[in-house]
Amino acid sequence: DTLGLHLAIEGLCHEAGAEAEPAGLELWAALVHREVLRILHPGHADPRLSQLWLKVRQDLGGVWDLQRMSRSSGMSNESLRRLCQKHTGRPPLSQLTQLRMLFAADLLACTQEKISSIAARVGYEDAFAFSNAFKREMGQPPSRYRSRQNVVPPAISKR
């Protein structure tokens, strides 16, 4: 069912075409992101993984380690590792990093939020550690990623 994604994209386009406010654009972008994840969610084949990744996405900035993820999914560490590897092709902590970096990429592309603030929102107290993790996962540092997204700040688009 892609109706939610379609409506979220329409809302984002409408907001961007109007007198765009950064906060409004950010909310629409987050909604589009959530709908994409819902559709493409790698854990959809197993309800335990679906519930786990939903909890993780609702608290991306939280302290997530293997033990917390195992408890949240109702599985042992090893059972979670095997199931996650089967459905996502990566261990749970790598999947967590990917989810965090995809959300960070959306924020970099759709907002003018400071990199240090984005880092905190996705669970990194240190912007340098976030930048290194982002570069490993996305192939380029956050600042370069943002500059290549052709983000037009809302103040410029209000002509």
Side-chain angles (χ1 to χ4, degrees):
D1 179 26
T2 59
L3 179 60
L5 177 60
H6 177 77
L7 294 173
I9 291 171
E10 281 187 0
L12 177 62
C13 291
H14 177 74
E15 182 71 26
E19 289 190 20
E21 295 180 17
L25 287 172
E26 183 177 340
L27 290 171
W28 281 109
L31 185 57
V32 168
H33 180 256
R34 172 164 281 195
E35 288 299 310
V36 167
L37 288 176
R38 184 183 59 78
I39 292 167
L40 300 177
H41 184 6
H44 71 276
D46 188 288
R48 295 171 295 180
L49 282 181
S50 294
Q51 288 300 325
L52 171 62
W53 299 129
L54 177 62
K55 289 175 187 176
V56 167
R57 284 192 307 270
Q58 290 172 342
D59 184 22
L60 274 175
V63 178
W64 288 98
D65 57 18
L66 187 59
Q67 290 72 28
R68 181 178 178 197
M69 287 192 283
S70 295
R71 279 192 314 274
S72 293
S73 64
M75 292 184 268
S76 70
N77 291 356
E78 184 57 23
S79 294
L80 175 60
R81 188 199 63 74
R82 280 195 312 267
L83 193 62
C84 191
Q85 189 72 40
K86 175 183 173 187
H87 288 284
T88 68
R90 60 180 77 214
L93 292 176
S94 294
Q95 182 64 20
L96 169 66
T97 300
Q98 183 185 48
L99 292 174
R100 284 176 165 171
M101 295 305 124
L102 289 173
F103 184 63
D106 284 348
L107 292 174
L108 288 165
C110 298
T111 74
Q112 293 298 312
E113 192 171 339
K114 291 181 181 181
I115 291 174
S116 60
S117 176
I118 292 172
R121 287 182 63 177
V122 297
Y124 289 82
E125 292 180 17
D126 178 13
F128 183 72
F130 164 73
S131 183
N132 285 334
F134 190 90
K135 185 175 180 179
R136 268 193 313 274
E137 190 72 27
M138 305 301 283
Q140 56 190 314
S143 56
R144 183 177 300 148
Y145 182 88
R146 174 175 270 163
S147 69
R148 290 184 175 178
Q149 300 306 306
N150 297 321
V151 175
V152 178
I156 293 173
S157 65
K158 290 183 180 179
R159 291 184 185 156

